[in-house]
Amino acid sequence: MAIKNAYLLDLLARTEKRNPGEPEFIQAVTEVLSTLEPVIEKRQDLVDAGVLERLVEPERQIIFRVPWIDDNGKPHVNRGFRVQFNSAIGPYKGGIRLHPSVNLGIIKFLGFEQTFKNSLTTLPMGGGKGGSDFDPKGKSDNEIMNFCQSFMTELYRHIGADVDVPAGDIGVGAREVGYMFGQYKRIRDEWVGVLTGKGLTYGGSLARKEATGFGLCYFTKEMLTANGTSFEGKTVLVSGSGHVAIYACQKATEFGAKVVAMSDSNGYIYDKNGIDLDCIKQIKEVERKRISEYVKYHADAEYHEGCKGIWTIPCDIALPCATQNEIDGESAKILVKNGCKVVSEGANMPSTPEAIDTYLSNGLLYGPAKAANAGGVATSGLEMSQNSLRLSWSFDEVDERLKGIMKSIFKACDEASKEYGMPGNYMAGANIAGFIKVAEAMKAQGNV
Ligand code: NDP
Ligand code: 2IT
């Protein structure tokens, strides 16, 4: 969607100038601004209060050195980041990503998106994100612990249960959260819910591990129902094979769909009989191996090098759950040509602007990341509540709350898309609904 409003165009130009060399951040800002035009036209008061200028500028950006020692005694240095983007509606909240591609622009795009996503959850959480260019692949447990402790030895001074609450993202699961939590507790000498996604024996919430993938399917189910269809009997592609992908595959299958393909950064598997998820869990969660191993156990299945090829498999529903910009314009056109009718995003910003244009101009149902994958952080919010209450809820209780939240997120996107004259454009609906709550809070709190 092209921006026409002169104020928004000028704001985007200023944002581009101020943030050179950060294409992912500019991409995320452009997408949001491109849908805010009808809001800006109705709400001059928000423009006058400088809300948008403040919204595109993180409140605080922290960059730090992370020295660590490998198993051979060799010293290494990585770069650590925490971007505290917006605290208008609650303490900063968002994951930590460990991946060699991490840089400031990527953390800023994620923190910016997180601000709107967290607003949509209905819970009081601001937006933040962190990470490092550390590559966890091939590292021993001891090296991972050494890195996580060093990372937290700097990060601890910037976070706190009512200040900033990190969690997992790519490369960070319960193991890494555990090592970071242990180091925080040791340095600060306090036991508080400063991280979410913790292990179940020390304050983690039941259903947090499953929440992003389950939530993605709950949101998608709402979107399908509202448009007179369902998961039942549909062929589904799920990219990635990490935390989000695995539980998206599980819930889509429970809803009666057949997931025929999954991937990792090296390649993808196609199993026309439907993915054997226990096998994937064993390979990925237990053995931490490559997805190519799958064909050793399933002679019928195929493995192909190159992760992009997954989008050439005919499907009804695509659930990208790996990483940003994994579906480009070309892949989106192939999906459409092969009959795909629905794209719903488990990953953050997995579709390029050209891909999104292709979905919208071909009438696909499109569930944008900041709404569709909000179940993870929403359940992190529920973990914070349980920690504060010194209670833990049952799996079913958390899952029921998650369902309710995903329902209300879909409703908010749907209603905003209608109110602002773009019915069925859930991307616009998500951006607008997420924006309005944060913007009202920022205006009410004055120019801070
Ligand atoms: P994991 O580390 O568990 O899994 C990531 C998966 O994506 C792996 O299969 C990985 O393959 C693949 N992948 C990562 N980077 C690339 C790349 N550059 N190209 C191709 N494939 C890649 O992470 P999560 O499942 O937690 O996160 C997946 C996505 O979901 C991310 O976009 C994340 O921001 C988003 N998300 C996560 C939430 C959570 O609660 N964890 C919540 C909301 C969104 P390989 O193993 O080969 O690297
Ligand atoms: O992108 C995301 O929403 C996450 N990685 C989860 C963040 C969280 O705080 O649970």
Side-chain angles (χ1 to χ4, degrees), residues 35 40 42 46 50 63-64 105 130-131 139 148 153 164 192 262 274 290 331 382 413:
T35 57
I40 295 311
K42 274 197 196 170
L46 297 177
I63 304 182
F64 51 96
K139 302 291 191 296
C148 289
T153 300
D164 182 357
V192 292
M262 292 182 80
R290 309 309 300 160
S331 295
L382 300 176
C413 298

Side-chain angles (χ1 to χ4, degrees), residues 93-95 114 117 129 165 167-169 196 208 348 373 376-377 380:
K93 179 84 195 86
Q114 198 82 46
K117 182 195 307 194
K129 202 83 186 191
V165 182
D169 193 78
T196 60
R208 173 62 188 93
N348 284 307
N373 75 29
V377 73
S380 280

